[in-house]
Amino acid sequence: MKPYLEILKLVWPLALGMINNAVMQFADRAYLAHDSMASLEAVLPAGMLAWVFMGFFQSVVGYAGVFVAQYHGAKDFGMCRACYRAAVALALVAGALMLPMFLLGDWILGLTAPSAEVLALERTYFGPLILGGIFVYGQMAATAYFTGRGLTRIVFWVNLFGNLLNIALDPILIFGWGFVPRMGIAGAAYATVFSAAVQWVALAVAVRRHFAHDKAVGCSVVGWFNGSIVAQILRFGMPSGLYELLNMISFSVFVFVTGGVGDVALAASNACFSVNYLVFAPMMGFALGAQTLVGQARGRGDNAAASVAFWRTLALALGFVALVGGLTLVFHRPILSLFAPADVAQSAEFHSLGVTLFWLMSGWMFFDAADIVVSGALKGAGDTRFVMVWMLVCSFVLWLPLVFVVRHFHNTMPALWSTMIVYVVVICIGSLVRWRRGKWKDIRLV
């Protein structure tokens, strides 16, 4: 029992931090659902496209946390600090690259929006998110440092404060209050960007204080900038970033395909995906926990400990999914009521479809959770090329062709959602087989 408690000690701040992020997005969309149905239709495609562009750079910067974990396991704390500085340098470069990404994204939205009204709202939401990406990258650099060293509580508390700030700002900026004008969907975007900026500043200050503590206790000092570390982060982090990019692109294509089913069906799908993210967000925390524990064990040269840490983390993650997924099915009606349109006829259709989609979601949740955790463990061991290639094969050779076939022959939301069950089962099995074969034991990062 004690080993599981030790894992939970590391993982719970990460899991709750991901829940914080999910609650923030859930609140954004719940508020926007009361702004207009068009706002609810626009927020998921525009937000997904923003994260398609930002997710790659965010994952590359965040991969510095694996190097921090491995150097921490090797007790080379000076190199841990060098990894953080390399991550900050990459964050600044990534932030500068957001302007061309903004122009490309604006063009893509123009091609895919279902109507002129939704397009205008998508562009209004997309712009601030993508141009404020530098704050997300800076926040990720500091998060990677603390996570790699196993100091996850500071990340949680800063994340909690920032997201509560975001939720508090949402109604003020979306609906207007006092001298603040009504901004609608733009207000939700500004609240998100401001929250990320506050979190970056707070975590950066915390890192500086931690550096001062290390220096005071006599830890080794490494030069301010280490180009070889930047190169290593890019070498292993870019496949990890491409993994996230491929994941986001495939899911975004799926979301855009579902846009042709109908307004109520799209609103129900977007609402259920928001709930799905709320259920599965903690899995990203478990994945980061597996990544950190495996990375630290690999830094010590202890493959047996890495394997044990993974399987124990996976068991905890699946237990959590069973609990939360069951509660979601039991309380589906009040959950869906948060997003339901005011029109009585539309609301009945919305609820009926939403229940069906919830049951389909229950069909893939265990496999999805397992794949998320095992992918995190493989990344912690440095096996990033496999997770990238396997994501490419499963998404673009299997899932998306299946989606377009279903769209042609049976274009309904339940049929399209059913394709995800096939996808997550196949990708999960392949990832688990890769871990069991142990190729990751031959990879050396530090």
Side-chain angles (χ1 to χ4, degrees), residues 46-392:
M48 286 295 301
L49 185 60
W51 289 112
V52 163
F53 292 121
M54 295 169 62
F56 170 77
F57 298 105
Q58 187 178 4
S59 184
V60 172
V61 172
Y63 199 76
V66 174
F67 284 88
V68 172
Q70 294 216 6
Y71 279 118
H72 181 87
K75 299 189 182 302
D76 191 341
F77 305 125
M79 288 303 293
C80 290
R81 295 195 295 278
C83 292
Y84 166 71
R85 290 165 176 151
V88 171
L90 289 171
L92 296 176
V93 172
L97 293 174
M98 285 301 98
L99 179 58
M101 296 297 103
F102 165 73
L103 298 175
L104 177 60
D106 189 73
W107 175 73
I108 292 173
L109 290 174
L111 295 177
T112 57
S115 67
E117 180 187 11
V118 173
L119 173 60
L121 292 169
E122 287 177 347
R123 285 173 166 167
T124 300
Y125 188 71
F126 175 79
L129 286 184
I130 198 74
L131 295 177
I134 189 171
F135 304 123
V136 176
Y137 304 139
Q139 176 190 350
M140 179 55 67
T143 296
Y145 172 77
F146 282 121
T147 301
R149 298 199 66 172
L151 304 172
T152 54
R153 292 187 184 184
I154 179 64
V155 176
F156 166 72
W157 289 115
V158 171
N159 182 258
L160 177 63
F161 172 77
N163 288 339
L164 289 175
L165 177 63
N166 186 357
I167 293 172
L169 288 173
D170 267 342
I172 297 173
L173 299 181
I174 292 172
F175 304 113
W177 183 69
F179 64 88
V180 179
R182 179 188 179 94
M183 299 183 188
I185 197 170
Y190 293 136
T192 299
V193 171
F194 183 74
S195 167
V198 169
Q199 291 179 67
W200 180 18
V201 171
L203 285 171
V205 171
V207 170
R208 294 285 296 177
R209 291 181 176 177
H210 198 260
F211 279 11
H213 173 266
D214 275 0
K215 186 176 180 180
V217 297
C219 292
S220 62
V221 178
V222 179
W224 197 94
F225 183 77
N226 189 316
S228 65
I229 292 296
V230 173
Q232 283 288 85
I233 293 173
L234 288 173
R235 177 187 171 190
F236 289 94
M238 287 183 69
S240 178
L242 287 171
Y243 164 86
E244 297 295 340
L245 179 62
L246 293 170
N247 189 20
M248 295 297 289
I249 288 175
S250 61
F251 186 67
S252 296
V253 171
F254 178 80
V255 170
F256 287 131
V257 168
T258 61
V261 178
D263 289 342
V264 175
L266 178 59
S269 179
N270 288 352
C272 290
F273 271 129
S274 298
V275 176
N276 179 71
Y277 181 63
L278 187 63
V279 172
F280 276 98
M283 292 305 101
M284 298 305 299
F286 282 98
L288 279 174
Q291 176 178 296
T292 300
L293 291 169
V294 169
Q296 291 179 349
R298 293 288 292 136
R300 298 191 302 270
D302 192 343
N303 291 331
S307 184
V308 169
F310 160 69
W311 289 111
R312 287 173 175 168
T313 306
L314 179 61
L316 291 170
L318 294 180
F320 180 87
V321 165
L323 174 63
V324 178
L327 291 174
T328 301
L329 289 174
V330 171
F331 296 103
H332 62 83
R333 180 161 292 278
I335 293 172
L336 288 171
S337 296
L338 295 172
F339 299 94
D343 181 85
V344 176
Q346 286 185 332
S347 179
E349 181 184 354
F350 180 94
H351 275 277
S352 177
L353 179 57
V355 171
T356 301
L357 298 183
F358 270 175
W359 278 105
L360 288 171
M361 187 173 72
S362 70
W364 75 62
M365 60 174 52
F366 285 97
F367 293 97
D368 198 12
D371 178 65
I372 290 170
V373 175
V374 71
S375 295
L378 289 169
K379 290 178 186 180
D383 200 4
T384 54
R385 290 184 183 179
F386 169 79
V387 296
M388 176 196 71
V389 173
W390 187 232
M391 171 62 69
L392 176 65

Side-chain angles (χ1 to χ4, degrees), residues 415-435:
L416 291 169
W417 270 54
S418 296
T419 64
M420 294 190 68
I421 298 177
V422 178
Y423 166 65
V424 297
V425 169
V426 172
I427 196 171
C428 173
I429 292 173
S431 298
L432 285 171
V433 169
R434 177 70 173 189
W435 178 266

